[in-house]
Amino acid sequence: MRPPPLWLLSLLLGGLGAAAPQPDPVPQLAAPQHLELHLYNDEQILSWEPSPPSNDTRPVVYQVEYKYSTGSWNTFKGVNCTDITVTKCDFTGGGRLKGFPGLYSVLLRVRARQGERTSDWVTSTKFQRYCNVTVGPPKNISVTPGKGSLTLHFSPPFDVAREAVFEYRVRYWEKAGAQQVRGPFKKNSIVLDNLKPLRVYCLQTEAQLIVREKNICRPGLSLSNVSCHETAAEASTSLCAILISMGIFSLLLALTGACRFLFRKYQSRAKYWFQAPPNIPEQIKEYLKDPDQPILEALDKDSFPKDDAWDSVSIISSPEKEQDDVLQTL
């Protein structure tokens, strides 16, 4: 049998060695951009910009994972940061997780997913909460005025572990006066003494975080709202005010007693002085208006009514009869 030509053999061998055609690969989804970590007091929030839009109308969801410097990547179980449509993950938003510990080094990463398509992971920079947190002012501030002093009570900006502590400073000034600073204080109660009594002072407080044995200091970047309060009087000033009030009261009491004594002693004169002026009878007023009127006859007639009469007259005794009775007795 005659062998096939070489060109036909080469064609058959080339066809057997050719690979089957592969389907087109699924295009990869664009990754999230510009990761930003927000650390303010208790708040720990990671946010990012969404993936660029595409022709696919299916929703894009995001997955967030974390790990410590010596561990592996983990998904969040205490908060909802898996398959979320929003572009942020709040680590303190609820559940058992209350944020990352103060001095642990933490890494975060995010990726997008749309159906079967996924993006590459985007990793944030490493951070430590106590080293990167922004410290706000103290909370729940109350001020109690005292005798030439002001006492402040407040709460720390957020709770810290044993390895950290807060220090506080108070800025205060008299109205239209120069500002002064006192501190640092480590207690949540501060007494500003040696102030002027009965003066108005305005206050602002600030806090800074000190991490022991790490030489880490996070100063507060914001001050509390301005509040103004008036100091109370000193003890000597209060005593003088009480003595003056008692003296005035005693003087008024003495004057009242003297007035009552004088009124009783000169009661008749007082009544004479304060009695109403006599009134002119109506007949005299009419006479003064018209002198030609026979006012005297009218008064005489009025003083003796026509209807007055006597039924009988009895003589009880007479001087002559008394004398006769005396002579007969003798």
Side-chain angles (χ1 to χ4, degrees):
M1 183 177 179
R2 189 176 178 179
L6 293 176
W7 61 270
L8 181 58
L9 184 59
S10 299
L11 182 61
L12 292 174
L13 292 176
L16 293 175
Q22 297 293 332
D24 294 335
V26 178
Q28 190 177 25
L29 191 64
Q33 302 175 358
H34 304 108
L35 272 62
E36 182 177 354
L37 184 62
H38 173 76
L39 298 175
Y40 179 81
N41 288 350
D42 282 330
E43 300 174 2
Q44 302 181 42
I45 301 173
L46 178 68
S47 60
W48 57 89
E49 293 184 5
S51 302
S54 62
N55 296 330
D56 197 334
T57 58
R58 290 176 297 179
V60 177
V61 295
Y62 301 94
Q63 297 174 332
V64 183
E65 294 182 351
Y66 72 95
K67 79 168 185 174
Y68 298 110
S69 57
T70 58
S72 57
W73 292 102
N74 303 281
T75 58
F76 289 95
K77 296 180 181 180
V79 293
N80 185 19
C81 288
T82 303
D83 294 337
I84 55 176
T85 57
V86 296
T87 57
K88 69 176 182 178
C89 174
D90 187 352
F91 313 128
T92 55
R96 296 181 180 178
L97 185 64
K98 299 299 182 182
F100 294 103
L103 292 177
Y104 280 72
S105 297
V106 183
L107 283 172
L108 301 169
R109 68 178 185 178
V110 184
R111 75 173 179 180
R113 185 171 59 84
Q114 187 180 37
E116 68 278 4
R117 297 195 304 163
T118 58
S119 71
D120 291 332
W121 289 100
V122 181
T123 304
S124 67
T125 56
K126 185 184 299 184
F127 73 93
Q128 290 181 346
R129 180 189 175 192
Y130 286 168
C131 297
N132 301 96
V133 66
T134 299
V135 180
K139 299 184 296 184
N140 306 319
I141 301 174
S142 63
V143 180
T144 304
K147 298 176 181 179
S149 65
L150 295 172
T151 303
L152 287 75
H153 302 277
F154 47 82
S155 302
F158 55 92
D159 295 332
V160 294
R162 295 181 179 179
E163 66 268 13
V165 67
F166 281 107
E167 290 185 350
Y168 307 96
R169 285 180 172 82
V170 181
R171 302 175 186 269
Y172 68 100
W173 63 94
E174 189 178 352
K175 279 196 171 181
Q179 187 178 99
Q180 303 181 58
V181 180
R182 288 195 188 180
F185 304 96
K186 292 185 178 181
K187 295 183 178 180
N188 296 354
S189 179
I190 299 174
V191 178
L192 299 177
D193 52 5
N194 297 325
L195 303 180
K196 298 178 182 178
L198 300 177
R199 297 295 180 89
V200 176
Y201 287 86
C202 297
L203 310 170
Q204 279 186 300
T205 57
E206 63 179 338
Q208 66 177 8
L209 180 65
I210 306 296
V211 180
R212 301 170 181 173
E213 300 179 358
K214 294 290 184 180
N215 296 326
I216 298 175
C217 176
R218 294 295 299 172
L221 298 182
S222 58
L223 297 170
S224 64
N225 295 329
V226 177
S227 62
C228 299
H229 309 271
E230 184 178 7
T231 57
E234 293 284 357
S236 57
T237 307
S238 301
L239 181 60
C240 290
I242 293 173
L243 293 176
I244 292 173
S245 301
M246 292 180 63
I248 294 174
F249 178 76
S250 301
L251 180 61
L252 292 176
L253 190 63
L255 290 175
T256 303
C259 291
R260 292 185 63 184
F261 173 76
L262 293 175
F263 180 79
R264 289 182 178 180
K265 185 175 181 179
Y266 302 100
Q267 185 175 4
S268 58
R269 292 187 180 182
K271 289 182 178 180
Y272 175 76
W273 291 338
F274 293 101
Q275 67 181 356
N279 293 328
I280 301 176
E282 293 296 330
Q283 294 85 351
I284 302 300
K285 290 182 180 180
E286 294 178 0
Y287 174 75
L288 293 176
K289 294 179 181 179
D290 188 6
D292 296 333
Q293 182 179 356
I295 185 64
L296 297 177
E297 297 178 0
L299 290 174
D300 187 40
K301 291 179 180 180
D302 293 340
S303 61
F304 299 100
K306 296 179 180 180
D307 298 335
D308 291 346
W310 295 270
D311 295 336
S312 62
V313 177
S314 301
I315 297 175
I316 299 175
S317 64
S318 64
E320 294 81 358
K321 186 177 182 179
E322 291 178 356
Q323 291 178 1
D324 294 341
D325 293 339
V326 172
L327 291 176
Q328 290 177 3
T329 302
L330 294 174

